[in-house]
Amino acid sequence: MQYWLVKSEPEVYSIDHLSKDKITLWENIRNYQARNYMTNGMQVGDLAFFYHSNSKPSGVAGVVEISGAARPDPSQFDKKSEYFDPKATTAKPIWFCVEVKFKEKLKRLVSLEELKAQSSLKNMILLNNSRLSVQPVTKNEFQAIVKMSSQKEKT
DNA sequence: GCCAACGTTGGC
DNA sequence: GCCAACGTTGGC
């Protein structure tokens, strides 16, 4: 059982969209490192934070469960998609996606600012490589952030 | 909207 | 295989 963090811009797809959809394919990841975490790291049953990026404020918004293993990302074959990849074929797909299931929305958003202020979280990938959109989170980090969401924000 | 940091591409 | 140029992410 491992923990992850996946990012989405809430204007495009937020935790509230997922709470309505219940299940979605985590498509359109076009970064090799992120892809490799989905194909070689994620297992069905793992939990992941749903992080709102490029937002006011950005932060951890909820928890999702990996409900389906990595499979070819359909958007790479879709000529109408802006994520179409002419080099990909169904025999040799390049990009993969997992299926994620809504688990819960945190009682409050834990902002990036709060995460930065927490010295125990200073090694989080999120805080050291802001550009990786699928990344592992340690159990300690996961539990610490869930706990923060249940407490009032420190001011 | 700007731009720093990082990833990718392609010429050599 | 190096690295300059370019593109993208995402915080601010």
Side-chain angles (χ1 to χ4, degrees):
Chain A
M1 164 80 197
Q2 283 184 267
Y3 298 92
W4 307 92
L5 180 148
V6 297
K7 294 181 187 174
S8 179
E9 301 191 19
E11 304 239 327
V12 178
Y13 195 83
S14 73
I15 189 74
D16 293 321
H17 291 116
L18 182 60
S19 80
K20 284 197 206 101
D21 293 346
K22 307 292 186 227
I23 279 187
T24 194
L25 274 185
W26 205 257
E27 292 181 75
N28 306 331
I29 303 294
R30 294 293 182 269
N31 170 286
Y32 289 104
Q33 219 182 333
R35 179 200 69 181
N36 293 343
Y37 281 128
M38 291 195 292
T39 55
N40 298 326
M42 284 182 175
Q43 303 282 339
V44 171
D46 284 356
L47 296 180
F49 282 133
F50 193 121
Y51 179 87
H52 284 176
S53 64
N54 237 318
S55 186
K56 291 180 198 168
S58 293
V60 177
V63 177
V64 304
E65 183 181 328
I66 309 305
S67 56
R71 70 209 58 185
D73 181 338
S75 65
Q76 72 194 305
F77 308 124
D78 179 1
K79 286 204 176 84
K80 292 192 209 98
S81 167
E82 64 173 302
Y83 294 96
F84 175 68
D85 189 334
K87 293 203 280 291
T89 64
T90 46
K92 274 204 166 178
I94 299 173
W95 306 110
F96 289 80
C97 58
V98 292
E99 186 190 271
V100 306
K101 185 170 79 179
F102 178 77
K103 189 93 176 167
E104 63 176 349
K105 185 174 175 177
L106 296 184
K107 282 173 81 179
R108 64 181 186 82
L109 184 115
V110 180
S111 70
L112 178 62
E113 189 185 15
E114 277 183 79
L115 299 176
K116 281 183 180 167
Q118 197 75 31
S119 61
S120 64
L121 298 176
K122 64 173 186 296
N123 292 323
M124 271 191 86
I125 295 170
L126 182 74
L127 306 181
N128 295 291
N129 179 1
S130 67
R131 306 196 27 166
L132 186 60
S133 61
V134 175
Q135 55 184 259
V137 170
T138 69
K139 189 175 185 183
N140 284 343
E141 290 162 351
F142 193 90
Q143 290 173 344
I145 293 168
V146 170
K147 191 173 168 196
M148 287 165 81
S149 74
S150 70
Q151 295 168 171
K152 281 211 175 111
E153 180 174 1
K154 288 179 196 157
T155 48

